[in-house]
Amino acid sequence: MSQRLLSAARGVLETYAQVLFLKSPWAGLCFFAATVIAPDRGAAGLLGLLVCIATARGLGLSVARSADETFFGATGLLVGLAFGLFFRPGPATYVALVLACMLGVGVALALRGIVDRTLALPILSLPFVLVTWLALLAARRFGGIEPATFSSVIPDTGMGSIYLRSLGACFWQPEPLPGALVLGGLLLASRWTAALTALGFAAGFAVYVRLGGPLDDLRYHLVGFNFVLAGVAVGGVWLLLSPTTLVLSAVAGALAAMVSAATLALLKPWALPVLAFPFIAVTWAMLHPLLHFPYARGVRPVRGRIETPEENLARVVQAQRRYPDPTVPVFFLPVMGTWRITQGHDGDRTHQGAWRHAWDFEVVGEDDRPFRGDGTALTDFHAYRAPVVAPAAGRVVRVVNHLDDNPIGEVDTVNNWGNLVLLWHAGEVYTALCHLQKESITVVEGELVTVGQPLGRVGNSGRSPLPHLHFQVQRSAEIGAPTLYGELLHYVTHEHKNQRYVTYGVPTQGQDIASVSVDAAVRQALTLSPGRRFHWHVRAGKRTFDEVWESHIDALGTRELVVVEGQPARAAIHSDERYTTVLDYRGPRHTLLGTFYLAMGRVPHLDTREVTWVDSPAVTALVAWPARILAELLMPFTSAGAVPTSTRLQRDERGFTVETALETQRVVGAGHLPDRITVAHLHGEGASRIQAFRAGKLLMEAIRCD
Amino acid sequence: MSRLPYEKPTIIKHYTGLANKLGRGPSRRDLARIDGVSIDALIEQYGTPLFVFSEHTLRQKYRDTHRAFTLRYPKVQISWSYKTNYLDAVCQVFHDEGSWAEVVSEIEYGMARRLGVPGNRILFNGPYKPEESLRVAIKEGAHIHVDHYDELYLIERIAKELGTRIDVALRINMDTGILPRWDRFGFNLDNGEALDAIRRVHAGGHLGIEGLHTHIGTFMLDPAAYGRAAAKLAGLAKQVKETTGTPVKYLDFGGGFASRATLHAQYAPGTDASPPIDDYAEAITSALLAAGFPPSELPTLMLETGRAMVDEAGFMVSRVVGNKRLANGTRALVIDAGVNVLFTSFWYRHDVLPVHDRGGMMEETVVYGPLCMNIDVVRPSVLLPPLEPGDALVIRPVGAYNLTQSMQFIRLRPACVLIGENQQVDLIRAAEVLDDVKGPERLPARFQPKRAKKA
C-alpha cells in the first residue's frame, strides 16, 4: 500500500519536473514547494493535475505509459496553476478548473496527434495555452469567477529579480522566492538546464531593453519565462548541447522577446496574457528546420530518449568517442593476412573527386616490395591470386569475370574497374571489389553471401598496373558509382614492431593492416554470458568486502553486469565474435565493478601478442561531485570527463592478463583513480583476479571465490 | 718481381666431337660473407668446422611462410618442428616470431618447456610417449597427437584416474597419390580405421577430439598432394562433428615442405625445382575453404614446418685438410666436415663453394670428410677451383637436421654461431670437448688405468 502511494507521489513529482523538461522527482519536489508557498495556488495546480489524470484514466487511455500520464498531468498542472494565479479561489473557480482540465485532455489528445505526425514537432504546452485562453475568455462572462488582483507595486526592478520571477512564472508564481526554489531544483537536477535558463533569459532581456521595450511588460505581463523556456528547449533538450546550440539558445531567447512583444500587441484588444505562446512559437520555428534538415557543424538532434541536456550529450559523446557512428557503413577487411594500403581516401593518384572514399590493398614482403624476384611476372607479386572475401553479409548484384589480367606495368583504361564483384548490403549500401583475376570469381549474380565468404582472387585487370585490390563503398549498384564514406572494423595496424588494435577507423596510405583473428579461448573467457555469477572477495586498503556480479540480458537484448550483493551498481556490456566492451558504468564511486569498467572497457578477442589499443572511458560516475559537475559544464567544449587508457593483452601459461594504463592526470578530479589495472583471466574460468595500482602502490585487489 | 703463386698442374680431358649442348661451363662462384659478416673473421674466432646460422634468414623464412598462409586463410598457427633443429637460439627466434613448439619426444618437450613455452602451445607428436611424459603433458595442457590405439587407451586410463576430460588430436595417414605412402604413423583414413578411432574416443566418454593431424611425407615436391590431404582431412573433420557433435578446433598438416636443397637424384637444382611456399599454401587453403565448413566452425590451420624455414638459414664453414688424386685421376679433397656433421649429404647435393676463389681451372672433385669411413662423402662430384689446405669452403643449405643428427663419431661436435639482424655474431653452441663425450662414462675400477710409478 505504501509502495503504491510512494510511486504515485513520485509520479506526481515527476509531472512537476516535466514542466521544465526534467524527470528528477527531487527537482519536482522543489518545484512543488515553489507552488505551495501560496497554498491555494498550489492546491489549484495539484487539483488540475489530478483531474486531468483522472479524466485520462476515465477515458480508458493507456496511462500505463508514464510519459502519457506526465503529459496530461502537466497540462492539468499548468491550467490549475494559471487558474490559481488569475482567479480568486472559490467553488465557481474550481468547477471551471475541473471543466477546463477535462477539456484540456481532449484538446491535448487531438492536437498531439496532429502536431506529432504532421509537423513532427513536440507539442510542448500548447493544449494548456489554448485551454487557458479559452477559460480566461469564458470567465469574463461568468460573474461567479472572480479575477484575482495583482499588487501594482513591484519593489525590485533589477534583472536578477526579474529572472527569478520569470523562473517562478514557469509555475505561475511570479515572485522571487518561488523562483529561487525553482532555481534550486534546477541546480540540483541539471546544471546545464539552469545555465540555459539564464542564457535564454539574459538574451531576451537584453533585446527587450536594447530595443527600448517597456520593462513593465516583463514585470506585469508574465513574459520573461518564455525567454527561459525557449532557451532551454532549443539549447539542449531537443538539440544536442554544443557551443552552437548555446548561441542558438540565446537567439531563441531574443526571438522570444520579439514574439512576446508582437503577441502582447496582438492580444491587447482581447486583454489576454501571452501565456506560453511565444515560447511555443519560437521553439517550433527554430526546431522545425534544425531537427528535420541536416545541417552540419554543431547542431545535431537528440536521438532516442530525451533526458537532461548533459545526459543527452553524455550519451552521444561517449558513444561517438568510443564506437562507430551508427549512420556510417562499416565493413570487415575484404582480405586475409597483412596488407598495405597503397592509396587511401583522397589519394594522390585516382581516389579523388566523386571516388575519393576507396582503398587500394597490396601485399609487401619483408623487403618492402610487393614482389619477389624481379617483379616482371604476375606470379612474382605476393598479392596476385590472393583470396578476396565478402566484407559483410549481402547479395551479389554484379559480376564481371571475363577481362584479361594486364601484364605488369600495363593498364586497361577501357574497362577501368576490371573484373569485379558488386555487393548489396542492408541499409542500401553497396561495395565494390575490383581488379580481380580473370575467371576467378566463384559467386554469381543474385547469390547471397556471408561475411568472410571467398568471392574471387586479386588479379591485375582494369586500370591496374600491378596486382592490387580496390575496395570502395558506394551509393548505387552501378559500376563506377560515386563512393560513400565508410569505415573498416576490427583490424590491427602494424607500426614498426608495435601492433595496435583498432575497433573502427579509416586506415591511411602507407599503413599495414591485418584483420583480427579471433582466439576461441580468449573469447570464451570474456563472453560474460547471461546468467553467470562472479563472486569476488575484495580488499581495498584496510577495507574488505564481498561483491557479487551477475550478467543479465533483457528482452531487447541489452546486456548488463549488475552488482547483486554489495553496493548497487550496473555496467552495460556488449560482446560479440570479435570483442567485448563495457559501455558505461552507473553506481557509486568505489565498487569493484567500477574498476572493472575502467580496465576492461574494450578487449578484442585476439590471439596476437604485443598488441595494444587505446580507449577513453568516461569517468564521471567515478569522480567526486565537484569534478563531475565541472566535467558536465565543460562537456560541450571538450571531452573533460573521459580518461585516456592504453591496454594490452598478455598471454601466459594458464590464461591471459588484460593490463590497462590510465592517464588519470589528464582528467580533473581523477587523481584518486588507479593508474594501472590488471585483470587476470584463466582459461575456462574467465576473470580470476583484479588488481588496481596507483603510483606503484596496490589500491585494490579482488580474487574470485566461486 | 714477386713470386707468382704456385698452381698445381691439372690434367683435364678434352672432349672431342660436337659442341657441348649444355653450353660453355658453369660460372665460378664464391662466398666470402654471410649476412655481411666476413667468414674469415668467423674462422679466426671460432675455427672450423663451424655451423653458421642467419637470424635474418630465419625470420624472413618464417614471415614468408606465415604470409603465404595468412593471406589465404583466416586462422593460421605455425609450430616450429624441434626435431629439425633444437638449438635454443633458433627455437627462440621462431617463438619470438609467434610460433608454437612441435615436439616428438619427452626430451624435446623438456627443451620447449625449458625455453618457457607454455604447455598449451606445445604439440606433442611421436609414436613413443612414455606414460610419465603423457601425464606431465596432460597436466600442462599440451596438445597430444595420438599415434595408436594403445596410446589412446593409456590416455583414457589417465583421464579416468584424474576424473577430467582430456582433449586430444588424432594422427591420421592416408593415400594422397604420392609415393612413398607413409602408413606407419597414426590411424589410416582410407580403410576406415580413423573413423573407428573417432567413434571409440567418443564412446569412451573421457576424451574429446580437438584436432586432426596428418603429415604426409618429407621434402614433398608436389603441392597437389597437400590439397588432396586437406580435402580428405576436412571430410574426416566433418565426420568428427557428426559423431561427437563438437566441431574440430584445428587441422594440422605437419610439414614436409621442400626447402631449396637439391636431392641427389634431382636434375634441376632446388632453387628452381622446389615449389615456393605459396604453392603449398594455395593447395591446402583452397581445399579447406572449399570444404564447406560453416564460418563459425572454420578450423585453425596448423603447420609444423621445419626444413622449409631453417634449411637455407644454416651454413657449414669448413677448411680443406688435404688434396688427393684417386687411382683413376679424379681429384679429391679432404675437408674437416663430413657426414658426422652433414648427415643430409646422404640425401642432398649440397652447394659447396670456396670462400675465396683464387683462380685456376675448375675441376670435377670428390669432397670427402675427415672420417675414416668409406661412406663419408660430402659431395661425390662438384666443380671446384684448386684449393690448398687451410682454404675455407661453405656448404649450404645445412640448417635442417644436420645439427640434430650430428654424430659424436671420430670427431667432436662443432661450434654454432648465430649472425643477428645487425651483424652481431653470437656463439649459440660451444664446440664440444672430450669431456662431453666421456663425461657420462663410468669405468669399472678394475679397468682404471694404473698410475705409472715414480721412478
Side-chain angles (χ1 to χ4, degrees):
Chain A
M1 179 58 201
S2 67
Q3 190 73 344
R4 279 185 54 195
L5 211 60
L6 212 63
S7 76
R10 193 197 170 87
V12 165
L13 289 178
E14 281 176 8
T15 310
Y16 275 82
Q18 165 82 338
V19 173
L20 276 167
F21 316 109
L22 297 171
K23 287 196 177 71
S24 157
W26 294 109
L29 188 62
C30 291
F31 302 159
F32 175 74
T35 61
V36 295
I37 286 180
D40 25 347
R41 289 198 227 157
L46 194 56
L47 177 63
L49 186 157
L50 294 171
V51 167
C52 268
I53 291 182
T55 315
R57 289 196 188 190
L59 284 177
L61 292 170
S62 161
V63 288
R65 283 183 49 213
S66 61
D68 261 351
E69 201 155 271
T70 333
F71 169 59
F72 293 123
T75 306
L77 172 64
L78 290 172
V79 171
L81 288 171
F83 263 67
L85 182 65
F86 292 124
F87 302 117
R88 289 243 194 106
T93 314
Y94 289 130
V95 168
L97 173 58
V98 169
L99 291 174
C101 287
M102 285 159 61
L103 180 64
V105 172
V107 167
L109 271 174
L111 284 182
R112 187 170 68 172
I114 299 171
V115 173
D116 267 349
R117 278 193 285 274
T118 315
L119 296 179
L121 285 171
I123 191 167
L124 301 174
S125 47
L126 186 63
F128 147 70
V129 170
L130 294 175
V131 165
T132 309
W133 274 342
L134 209 76
L136 287 171
L137 285 171
R140 304 236 177 87
R141 287 193 70 90
F142 294 127
I145 306 176
E146 293 163 18
T149 50
F150 287 95
S151 152
S152 57
V153 177
I154 305 258
D156 33 81
T157 59
M159 177 165 139
S161 104
I162 299 188
Y163 169 60
L164 284 179
R165 284 169 186 276
S166 302
L167 279 181
C170 296
F171 292 91
W172 302 106
Q173 318 293 324
E175 283 98 29
L177 181 56
L181 275 169
V182 169
L183 184 61
L186 284 178
L187 285 173
L188 197 67
S190 166
R191 271 65 54 192
W192 267 110
T193 305
L196 288 171
T197 61
L199 185 60
F201 176 78
F205 186 84
V207 163
Y208 229 88
V209 168
R210 224 47 177 80
L211 293 183
L215 272 184
D216 278 359
D217 282 357
L218 296 176
R219 285 193 224 114
Y220 294 119
H221 294 278
L222 294 161
V223 155
F225 76 99
N226 283 287
F227 311 162
V228 162
L229 289 172
V232 174
V234 169
V237 178
W238 278 280
L239 297 175
L240 278 179
L241 196 57
S242 74
T244 315
T245 61
L246 292 179
V247 171
L248 288 174
S249 163
V251 168
L255 287 179
M258 286 281 279
V259 174
S260 302
T263 318
L264 271 175
L266 208 65
L267 293 178
K268 206 162 169 163
W270 307 62
L272 283 174
V274 296
L275 297 181
F277 179 76
F279 150 61
I280 297 174
V282 167
T283 307
W284 278 5
M286 289 187 75
L287 281 185
H288 184 77
L290 292 170
L291 284 179
H292 302 306
F293 300 104
Y295 294 102
R297 308 219 151 267
V299 178
R300 279 177 302 161
V302 173
R303 286 186 214 281
R305 281 198 316 275
I306 307 278
E307 296 178 316
T308 67
E310 47 268 70
E311 279 171 6
N312 291 336
L313 184 62
R315 265 197 342 253
V316 168
V317 160
Q318 166 91 307
Q320 191 193 9
R321 201 177 50 234
R322 298 179 69 201
Y323 303 105
D325 184 342
T327 60
V328 168
V330 283
F331 296 95
F332 292 102
L333 263 59
V335 286
M336 302 183 272
T338 307
W339 292 67
R340 178 165 298 176
I341 306 290
T342 49
Q343 204 189 160
H345 286 12
D346 295 302
D348 45 6
R349 292 192 293 278
T350 48
H351 299 173
Q352 287 155 4
W355 300 280
R356 25 196 281 258
H357 305 117
W359 290 283
D360 281 344
F361 291 81
E362 279 180 48
V363 181
V364 295
E366 283 309 301
D367 47 7
D368 250 22
R369 286 188 297 186
F371 54 87
R372 52 185 104 80
D374 50 8
T376 49
L378 284 170
T379 47
D380 284 346
F381 281 77
H382 299 292
Y384 187 63
R385 301 209 63 224
V388 171
V389 300
R395 196 181 67 234
V396 180
V397 294
R398 274 306 295 271
V399 167
V400 174
N401 207 4
H402 61 280
L403 300 168
D404 288 325
D405 293 309
N406 310 319
I408 299 296
E410 292 181 23
V411 291
D412 174 3
T413 47
V414 172
N415 307 293
N416 258 326
W417 307 88
N419 296 315
L420 55 85
V421 174
L422 252 175
L423 296 172
W424 169 92
H425 306 281
E428 290 310 304
V429 154
Y430 296 84
T431 53
L433 301 142
C434 311
H435 307 312
L436 304 180
Q437 188 194 15
K438 175 174 176 169
E439 316 274 308
S440 73
I441 297 174
T442 50
V443 293
V444 296
E445 290 181 21
E447 187 175 330
L448 293 174
V449 296
T450 51
V451 63
Q453 178 172 340
L455 303 171
R457 290 171 182 271
V458 172
N460 201 33
S461 54
R463 190 174 165 174
S464 170
L466 46 80
H468 73 286
L469 176 70
H470 176 99
F471 173 56
Q472 65 180 42
V473 183
Q474 55 187 54
R475 300 168 198 277
S476 77
E478 299 306 313
I479 297 179
T483 58
L484 204 55
Y485 176 73
E487 294 175 347
L488 294 181
L489 272 181
H490 292 300
Y491 59 91
V492 171
T493 73
H494 297 244
E495 294 158 13
H496 306 288
K497 289 222 73 179
N498 302 325
Q499 297 184 54
R500 150 113 21 127
Y501 160 74
V502 177
T503 302
Y504 68 100
V506 176
T508 53
Q509 186 163 332
Q511 275 194 324
D512 288 322
I513 66 174
S515 46
V516 162
S517 50
V518 169
D519 181 290
V522 173
R523 177 169 176 239
Q524 200 242 358
L526 289 174
T527 45
L528 306 166
S529 13
R532 279 191 77 176
R533 271 174 78 95
F534 301 83
H535 186 140
W536 297 93
H537 186 69
V538 189
R539 189 169 55 83
K542 294 209 177 56
R543 225 164 37 108
T544 60
F545 58 95
D546 276 31
E547 200 171 292
V548 178
W549 304 342
E550 240 179 49
S551 174
H552 287 174
I553 184 168
D554 73 6
L556 295 174
T558 320
R559 295 180 53 188
E560 278 187 322
L561 274 180
V562 179
V563 176
V564 293
E565 274 172 43
Q567 292 184 295
R570 53 201 329 128
I573 59 177
H574 168 81
S575 179
D576 60 29
E577 177 77 23
R578 312 271 173 146
Y579 81 143
T580 298
T581 176
V582 182
L583 302 167
D584 67 14
Y585 168 78
R586 274 174 286 175
R589 289 167 49 199
H590 297 295
T591 60
L592 183 67
L593 188 61
T595 309
F596 185 79
Y597 157 68
L598 288 177
M600 303 276 292
R602 179 192 314 258
V603 186
H605 305 152
L606 288 173
D607 69 348
T608 334
R609 326 134 294 135
E610 298 311 324
V611 181
T612 57
W613 58 91
V614 296
D615 199 356
S616 49
V619 293
T620 40
L622 296 167
V623 298
W625 67 264
R628 193 177 327 145
I629 291 184
L630 181 65
E632 257 176 20
L633 291 175
L634 291 175
M635 205 188 305
F637 310 107
T638 103
S639 66
V643 66
T645 64
S646 163
T647 315
R648 62 190 179 131
L649 196 148
Q650 282 189 297
R651 304 179 62 112
D652 53 49
E653 294 245 354
R654 300 167 61 209
F656 59 94
T657 303
V658 177
E659 186 178 326
T660 305
L662 301 98
E663 290 177 49
T664 52
Q665 74 278 7
R666 302 260 290 251
V667 179
V668 174
H672 68 283
L673 291 177
D675 58 18
R676 190 167 81 91
I677 309 175
T678 61
V679 181
H681 292 79
L682 289 176
H683 284 310
E685 287 182 31
S688 66
R689 190 176 69 164
I690 302 179
Q691 286 181 313
F693 301 87
R694 188 174 64 228
K697 222 163 56 87
L698 183 64
L699 280 187
M700 183 190 278
E701 180 166 14
I703 313 266
R704 270 278 284 290
C705 47
D706 55 29
Chain B
M1 184 172 143
S2 56
R3 262 187 92 179
L4 294 169
Y6 177 63
E7 202 178 296
K8 274 213 258 285
T10 47
I11 300 173
I12 310 250
K13 188 174 167 190
H14 282 277
Y15 291 90
T16 56
L18 297 172
N20 186 340
K21 70 174 173 188
L22 295 171
R24 279 193 324 139
S27 54
R28 304 173 78 104
R29 296 176 300 139
D30 60 6
L31 187 66
R33 292 177 171 275
I34 297 175
D35 271 6
V37 173
S38 144
I39 297 182
D40 288 329
L42 288 174
I43 295 175
E44 198 179 307
Q45 190 169 7
Y46 300 101
T48 55
L50 177 69
F51 274 110
V52 179
F53 288 94
S54 156
E55 185 182 341
H56 176 75
T57 311
L58 289 171
R59 291 188 188 272
Q60 185 155 27
K61 286 280 162 198
Y62 177 88
R63 289 174 195 172
D64 281 348
T65 309
H66 187 73
R67 186 191 320 119
F69 282 90
T70 52
L71 214 52
R72 297 170 166 88
Y73 196 78
K75 294 196 280 188
V76 176
Q77 179 61 53
I78 298 179
S79 296
W80 167 240
S81 158
Y82 267 53
K83 67 181 189 291
T84 314
N85 189 321
Y86 43 59
L87 282 175
D88 282 346
V90 169
C91 298
Q92 285 289 53
V93 168
F94 288 122
H95 291 315
D96 185 52
E97 288 286 322
S99 105
W100 289 10
E102 184 253 334
V103 300
V104 298
S105 73
E106 72 277 18
I107 316 295
E108 290 188 354
Y109 187 92
M111 290 181 197
R113 296 290 288 126
R114 240 178 103 248
L115 288 180
V117 181
N120 60 5
R121 287 198 240 164
I122 299 182
L123 302 181
F124 195 178
N125 277 324
Y128 170 43
K129 305 183 185 88
E131 180 173 342
E132 190 46 46
S133 72
L134 275 176
R135 286 181 184 275
V136 169
I138 289 168
K139 184 157 117 354
E140 297 180 343
H143 304 275
I144 301 171
H145 291 190
V146 179
D147 184 68
H148 49 270
Y149 272 112
D150 291 306
E151 185 183 327
L152 192 65
Y153 300 148
L154 176 55
I155 299 177
E156 216 175 33
R157 197 159 42 78
I158 298 176
K160 253 188 260 196
E161 196 186 294
L162 295 176
T164 55
R165 189 183 164 80
I166 300 174
D167 281 336
V168 296
L170 297 180
R171 171 115 188 222
I172 311 288
N173 66 70
M174 63 189 81
D175 180 5
T176 55
I178 50 137
L179 290 173
R181 202 161 71 207
W182 286 4
D183 60 356
R184 61 172 281 187
F185 300 113
F187 304 93
N188 186 270
L189 188 151
D190 304 303
N191 68 5
E193 192 189 7
L195 189 57
D196 265 350
I198 292 167
R199 292 192 177 132
R200 172 63 183 81
V201 165
H202 183 63
H206 294 276
L207 305 180
I209 298 180
E210 61 167 353
L212 295 172
H213 166 44
T214 183
H215 187 137
I216 59 178
T218 187
F219 210 90
M220 305 279 297
L221 289 168
D222 177 17
Y226 283 96
R228 294 188 281 269
K232 282 193 173 179
L233 210 61
L236 190 65
K238 296 220 200 97
Q239 287 184 307
V240 170
K241 165 101 191 280
E242 268 169 49
T243 311
T244 68
T246 326
V248 150
K249 289 201 193 104
Y250 64 84
L251 292 180
D252 184 345
F253 291 94
F257 308 127
S259 69
R260 301 264 194 89
T262 313
L263 297 175
H264 277 303
Q266 221 175 300
Y267 180 71
T271 40
D272 296 341
S274 298
I277 190 74
D278 294 85
D279 287 3
Y280 299 104
E282 186 63 47
I284 299 178
T285 55
S286 21
L288 283 183
L289 287 174
F293 288 106
S296 58
E297 290 174 13
L298 212 52
T300 305
L301 169 54
M302 298 269 229
L303 297 162
E304 299 164 0
T305 31
R307 178 189 281 114
M309 294 204 295
V310 77
D311 221 0
E312 285 134 66
F315 303 79
M316 163 59 72
V317 176
S318 170
R319 270 187 292 201
V320 174
V321 171
N323 283 294
K324 291 174 94 110
R325 284 257 163 220
L326 299 181
N328 59 2
T330 314
R331 178 181 162 210
L333 214 53
V334 179
I335 64 174
D336 61 11
V339 293
N340 57 328
V341 291
L342 292 173
F343 196 77
T344 55
S345 310
F346 290 130
W347 320 320
Y348 296 163
R349 211 162 62 219
H350 284 127
D351 202 9
V352 178
L353 302 168
V355 172
H356 299 287
D357 186 349
R358 303 187 207 284
M361 296 219 50
M362 301 274 275
E363 196 180 349
E364 293 278 352
T365 310
V366 190
V367 179
Y368 291 123
L371 308 179
C372 195
M373 300 285 290
N374 200 36
I375 55 163
D376 185 17
V377 180
V378 173
R379 271 288 297 259
S381 171
V382 58
L383 275 170
L384 285 172
L387 295 165
E388 295 299 315
D391 284 344
L393 290 168
V394 176
I395 303 158
R396 64 174 185 184
V398 302
Y401 294 110
N402 287 300
L403 206 79
T404 47
Q405 293 185 307
S406 58
M407 308 172 208
Q408 281 172 331
F409 178 56
I410 297 177
R411 305 212 55 80
L412 297 168
R413 288 208 194 104
C416 308
V417 296
L418 179 73
I419 301 178
E421 303 249 50
N422 297 320
Q423 296 182 357
Q424 75 273 40
V425 178
D426 290 294
L427 180 71
I428 56 177
R429 192 173 209 274
E432 288 189 355
V433 294
L434 190 59
D435 233 15
D436 293 321
V437 180
K438 289 291 168 183
E441 285 197 41
R442 302 282 175 268
L443 195 58
R446 62 183 186 279
F447 296 133
Q448 294 281 1
K450 294 183 183 44
R451 286 255 165 88
K453 278 203 184 135
K454 286 191 183 156

